[in-house]
Amino acid sequence: MANSSSAYRRILLRIGIAGVVVFAGLQFVRPELKNPEVTNELQAPPEVKDILRSACYDCHSNETKLAWFDQVVPAYWLVVRDVKTARQHLNFSELGAQPAAKQRAMLYEAINQVQLGAMPLAAYRRMHPEAHVSESELAVLRHYLETSTPQPEVSAAEVSAAEKQFSDWVAAGPASAKPPAAPNGIEFPADYRNWTPISSTDRFDNQSLRVILGNDTALKAIAENHINPWPDGSILAKVAWTQQKDGQGMVRTGAFQHVEFMIRDSRKYASTKGWGWARWRGTGLKPYGDRPSFSDECVGCHEPVQGNDYVYTAPIRGQR
Amino acid sequence: MRLRNRFATVFTAVAAVLLSGCTAPNPLIATHLNETAAFGGGVKLNPLQGKVITSWVDRRTAAMSTLTGNETAVRYARAGGGPAYPAGSTLSLATWGQVEDGRWFGARIPGAPRSVEIVTVSQDANGQRLYSYQKYEGAPLKRVVSREAGPADERLQFLISQRASVLP
């Protein structure tokens, strides 16, 4: 009895020592994480940058500062992976190289990710409570964009370009040539223009007007209030136009920019959250993206509304 | 025993803290229809059941509108339009006050309905075009205007002369 229990203890001890040795040894398996030079930092006022610096820069910049507990393997491996992916998506140390409009669009996306609770990553927030963006900090970020986003009048050239686009479209007649499929193989849903409007948006972040349309399956789902998850066969379309202002407060749809789709098929599109994503641009309906994985960008920005089946729009009740 | 109890308490507390980050649902994301913008009341025609002709925003009144039409109206508008909609056309204009899109800072979406306007085009025995114009307002929406309208009617002219949005 006594004998076997001390043998048991000895085995435990050996396993314990082996564990410590392996743990210590693993500490030397360290993928490299460099802080490259900061070349083109985002251009924004200091109060805005301060907030981003304390909440986001550990992952989204070349100024990553790891806490001691982040440096311990295996946590370190996860952190390195997060930082590398995060920098690919958004790097505040390099964003400044982009045109002002692109920087601004990224800031809108960043604020929305914060507002919807998607960023900073939840796992990081638990270990770094100081990285939480407070309501008042969020207000500072919002105020900055609200007051700095230009709302330009429309030039005469833009107006006549939109008029020409309209007359060319009318001359071409309805549904002319079928456009090429999107890089992920999705075919253009040609009948979209006859679907039913379920909402609309007026975007002051990028000066566009949009209408959101649903096909019959989507409309039935709305009527029955079964929109999470949306049933297979539902298709949502969003059409975007530039804003054409008349200088007296009326804003009409100007040039057609693009139409994009979310096509529900939970099996076929399982790898992209159950939706097929596709976008066609300009009246020439040029497919957007140059490889099948272009839809990572769509999914990434729709990720914060994951809990709503990746859909942003709240359809107006009472459709059909 | 006591030790185990205390361990259980501490464990539960730690687990709660760790889990709260992933489980606390953000109310902005919770699934819902846009109830505020729904049309109820005395509107017989669903103002959005047709196909899109165009949409616009009036900054002076912070309102946004969607103009839809039945098959006849939409075919005409998309073929170049102009104010001579053929008999059999029905156009509906839905107008809402704008509200901030809770899910996207940078967007405004339909809030409470402001009005619904409906134009129907017919013709008399001599082939002369006849127009009727109806307007619904208030919460719940009630019909406030119903008139035969001539081509000189300003609001009617406005509605039938809007250019269709390009939908290639």
Side-chain angles (χ1 to χ4, degrees):
Chain A
M1 232 1 221
N3 229 345
S4 81
S5 100
S6 70
Y8 182 63
R9 241 184 257 138
R10 238 177 294 133
I11 293 173
L12 266 191
L13 187 67
R14 271 189 213 149
I15 293 179
I17 292 173
V20 170
V21 169
V22 168
F23 181 76
L26 282 179
Q27 297 308 316
F28 294 97
V29 185
R30 303 184 81 77
E32 202 176 18
L33 184 65
K34 281 201 190 133
N35 271 336
E37 209 184 319
V38 178
T39 45
N40 269 300
E41 203 186 3
L42 159 85
Q43 287 140 27
E47 69 274 18
V48 169
K49 272 200 215 167
D50 286 348
I51 297 169
L52 300 176
R53 186 167 290 122
S54 59
C56 322
Y57 270 40
D58 270 350
C59 296
H60 289 289
S61 82
N62 297 345
E63 299 180 58
T64 305
K65 294 194 191 81
L66 297 186
W68 67 265
F69 48 80
D70 289 331
Q71 317 225 18
V72 179
V73 168
Y76 179 72
W77 295 341
L78 301 177
V79 170
V80 169
R81 198 200 51 194
D82 277 349
V83 172
K84 287 187 172 163
T85 345
R87 284 178 182 170
Q88 276 165 11
H89 283 256
L90 161 62
N91 187 336
F92 285 114
S93 303
E94 292 165 9
L95 188 61
Q98 303 285 338
K102 199 106 189 260
Q103 294 186 40
R104 197 178 312 114
M106 206 18 125
L107 274 186
Y108 271 100
E109 187 178 340
I111 290 180
N112 277 298
Q113 297 260 349
V114 172
Q115 191 164 278
L116 294 176
M119 285 288 151
L121 290 180
Y124 177 83
R125 261 188 337 239
R126 286 197 288 276
M127 301 303 288
H128 300 260
E130 77 287 354
H132 173 77
V133 179
S134 68
E135 284 296 314
S136 62
E137 288 171 326
L138 189 57
V140 170
L141 300 177
R142 287 171 51 111
H143 178 77
Y144 166 60
L145 283 184
E146 264 161 0
T147 50
S148 66
T149 307
Q151 305 290 332
E153 285 306 319
V154 180
S155 71
E158 284 170 280
V159 173
S160 56
E163 292 309 321
K164 177 161 189 311
Q165 192 199 54
F166 175 74
S167 46
D168 288 351
W169 171 63
V170 166
S176 22
K178 190 175 156 214
N184 52 7
I186 292 178
E187 295 285 347
F188 186 67
D191 196 35
Y192 84 93
R193 58 180 80 69
N194 294 325
W195 296 350
T196 310
I198 61 170
S199 190
S200 48
T201 55
D202 168 18
R203 293 279 297 259
F204 60 85
D205 54 348
N206 57 19
Q207 279 80 53
S208 61
L209 290 184
R210 284 127 188 251
V211 167
I212 294 96
L213 307 164
N215 71 350
D216 278 341
T217 309
L219 265 288
K220 187 162 172 281
I222 295 169
E224 294 166 357
N225 201 356
H226 285 150
I227 56 165
N228 190 0
W230 289 77
D232 279 1
S234 303
I235 312 184
L236 303 175
K238 184 171 89 176
V239 197
W241 299 272
T242 59
Q243 295 189 356
Q244 190 136 308
K245 306 172 187 176
D246 72 352
Q248 284 156 35
M250 283 292 282
V251 184
R252 292 186 173 79
T253 59
F256 168 86
Q257 294 178 310
H258 64 246
V259 57
E260 57 192 10
F261 299 91
M262 290 169 66
I263 302 171
R264 184 81 207 194
D265 188 328
S266 42
R267 298 255 221 98
K268 189 169 172 191
Y269 301 125
S271 66
T272 48
K273 316 294 183 190
W275 293 98
W277 307 77
R279 175 188 288 168
W280 283 265
R281 298 168 85 187
T283 42
L285 295 174
K286 189 173 177 298
Y288 176 76
D290 47 16
R291 59 182 96 92
S293 63
F294 78 92
S295 61
D296 290 353
E297 179 191 331
C298 321
V299 175
C301 194
H302 282 247
E303 191 89 43
V305 284
Q306 176 180 7
N308 188 42
D309 203 11
Y310 294 90
V311 171
Y312 274 104
T313 302
I316 296 171
R317 183 178 59 76
Q319 280 307 79
R320 293 253 169 89
Chain B
M1 202 56 199
R2 274 191 55 207
L3 190 68
R4 192 169 305 155
N5 261 340
R6 192 173 306 156
F7 177 75
T9 318
V10 170
F11 180 79
T12 316
V14 169
V17 167
L18 288 180
L19 287 174
S20 63
C22 7
T23 50
N26 186 318
L28 296 173
I29 298 163
T31 300
H32 64 273
L33 296 174
N34 185 345
E35 300 283 345
T36 319
F39 294 94
V43 190
K44 293 207 188 67
L45 261 176
N46 177 347
L48 286 181
Q49 78 187 350
K51 298 170 184 173
V52 174
I53 297 177
T54 188
S55 59
W56 62 78
V57 172
D58 189 341
R59 296 256 179 266
R60 293 161 299 192
T61 53
M64 64 203 296
S65 302
T66 301
L67 183 67
T68 55
N70 66 356
E71 192 63 46
T72 311
V74 167
R75 200 178 308 127
Y76 173 78
R78 289 182 185 169
Y85 275 93
S89 300
T90 301
L91 290 83
S92 312
L93 183 74
T95 301
W96 303 266
Q98 293 189 297
V99 292
E100 176 176 335
D101 182 350
R103 293 181 181 147
W104 189 264
F105 169 66
R108 301 187 191 98
I109 56 171
R114 292 259 179 97
S115 65
V116 171
E117 290 161 276
I118 295 169
V119 172
T120 50
V121 187
S122 55
Q123 66 190 105
D124 66 13
N126 307 320
Q128 190 75 28
R129 258 193 210 83
L130 302 173
Y131 298 93
S132 89
Y133 171 84
Q134 295 177 1
K135 183 172 190 180
Y136 299 80
E137 270 178 354
L141 289 164
K142 276 212 222 49
R143 190 156 79 184
V144 292
V145 180
S146 175
R147 63 176 180 242
E148 301 306 309
D153 187 310
E154 211 179 304
R155 187 62 185 168
L156 177 82
Q157 271 308 315
F158 176 83
L159 294 177
I160 64 180
S161 57
Q162 298 301 319
R163 199 200 77 184
S165 294
V166 175
L167 287 161

